[in-house]
Amino acid sequence: MALCHPFLFTILLCLSVPATAQFDFNQLVTDSYKQVFTNQGLSFDELEERSTAKTQGAFVYLSGLKHTIDYFVYGTYDGVLDNLKNNNKRIKQLNPDFGFGKFFLGESYFHLGLIQMAQNNKLGGLISLKKAYAIHLKNTGLPIDFYGGEKTRAVLEIIFNEAKNYSEFAGLVTGVKVNGRNGEKRLQNSVNKGSAYQFEAQLFQTILHQFVTFEEKKANKSIEKILKQYPKSNLVLSLAAVIYSKNNHSEEALTVLSRVDKANPYFIYLQGLNHLQLL
């Protein structure tokens, strides 16, 4: 009955719209998402400037995504963990129960967990990744098709499956029963869908081959395919340089390193390393 009253209905509407709007996923967010991957001049300050009242939560998520990419691909380590923890807190404060909020919260835990694992905080990392998995597992039941959620869920199933093979501790912490092959099929499905998240799914598939399941031949084949599709992407070139260097494909590594940012000390190091490997 209360909702039938026009005055009360207006108040409720005004209270609900801001919470929903903070996690809007409009064209501005989509374009910025693409630019984060191509690394075409989008800094953290520019992400903050693009943020609006309707997209505040979305741009916090994009900031976390950029921090994660910068850590793993460009070797930018300073303050990353603190920034990701702060992003996670900000998203929770924005009331993510509306719109795409749950998706962004799940991704926030995902980014945090990856960095914690990379910094050898296995307990904290597995807990964060488990939270990300639980959120995306619920997202699959929503009427909105969460392409990104399916991508992350698949990645986590592969990670959890490998983790339990390495340690009973990891299996006890996650408490998640997963099948690695199902995860691989789901991730391939995300790659094949042609959604906005196809590129990200391809990158994670390559990274998993190289650093989680240790299938170097698959990683090489995968990065070669992505290079042909996105020959001008700084991110793809940089990831290719890392993978080729790890796999002692020094000639290929030096070819792609000639096209990346020379000012980055990490790539200067890789260039020297590959010259030594050729000797």
Side-chain angles (χ1 to χ4, degrees), residues 205-207 209-210 215-227 239-240 242-249 252:
Q205 190 176 53
T206 305
I207 290 168
H209 287 324
Q210 180 66 41
E215 299 168 288
E216 293 181 1
K217 290 183 179 179
K218 285 187 177 181
N220 289 334
K221 187 176 180 180
S222 182
I223 196 64
E224 286 172 10
K225 181 179 179 181
I226 302 174
L227 269 171
L239 181 60
V242 174
I243 288 176
Y244 286 143
S245 298
K246 292 283 186 182
N247 297 340
N248 295 323
H249 287 225
E252 291 89 341

Side-chain angles (χ1 to χ4, degrees), residues 155-169:
V155 168
L156 289 173
E157 286 178 352
I158 296 170
I159 291 174
F160 290 155
N161 184 69
E162 288 298 313
K164 72 181 181 183
N165 291 334
Y166 297 143
S167 166
E168 288 186 20
F169 164 76

Side-chain angles (χ1 to χ4, degrees), residues 109-213:
Y109 275 117
F110 179 52
H111 299 150
L112 179 60
L114 290 176
I115 299 301
Q116 287 173 317
M117 292 292 286
Q119 294 187 352
N120 209 30
N121 180 3
K122 293 182 180 179
L123 177 59
L126 288 171
I127 290 173
S128 295
L129 294 177
K130 181 181 178 181
K131 288 179 180 178
Y133 184 77
I135 291 170
H136 283 309
L137 200 61
K138 292 180 180 178
N139 282 344
T140 57
L142 297 175
I144 303 171
D145 194 351
F146 279 82
Y147 292 114
E150 179 166 308
K151 171 266 305 173
T152 303
R153 179 185 168 192
V155 168
L156 289 173
E157 286 178 352
I158 296 170
I159 291 174
F160 290 155
N161 184 69
E162 288 298 313
K164 72 181 181 183
N165 291 334
Y166 297 143
S167 166
E168 288 186 20
F169 164 76
L172 289 171
V173 172
T174 60
V176 179
K177 293 182 179 180
V178 294
N179 185 303
R181 290 187 178 181
N182 289 341
E184 289 172 6
K185 289 179 182 178
R186 187 172 286 107
L187 185 57
Q188 187 62 49
N189 188 40
S190 296
V191 170
N192 295 337
K193 271 183 175 177
S195 71
Y197 295 95
Q198 183 184 43
F199 182 36
E200 186 176 354
Q202 284 179 288
L203 290 178
F204 270 113
Q205 190 176 53
T206 305
I207 290 168
L208 289 171
H209 287 324
Q210 180 66 41
F211 299 104
V212 177
T213 57

Side-chain angles (χ1 to χ4, degrees), residues 33 57-65 91 103-104 107 111 197 200:
Y33 170 82
F59 276 93
V60 173
Y61 147 71
L62 289 176
S63 169
L65 179 62
I91 290 176
F103 167 69
F104 294 133
E107 292 296 276
H111 299 150
Y197 295 95
E200 186 176 354

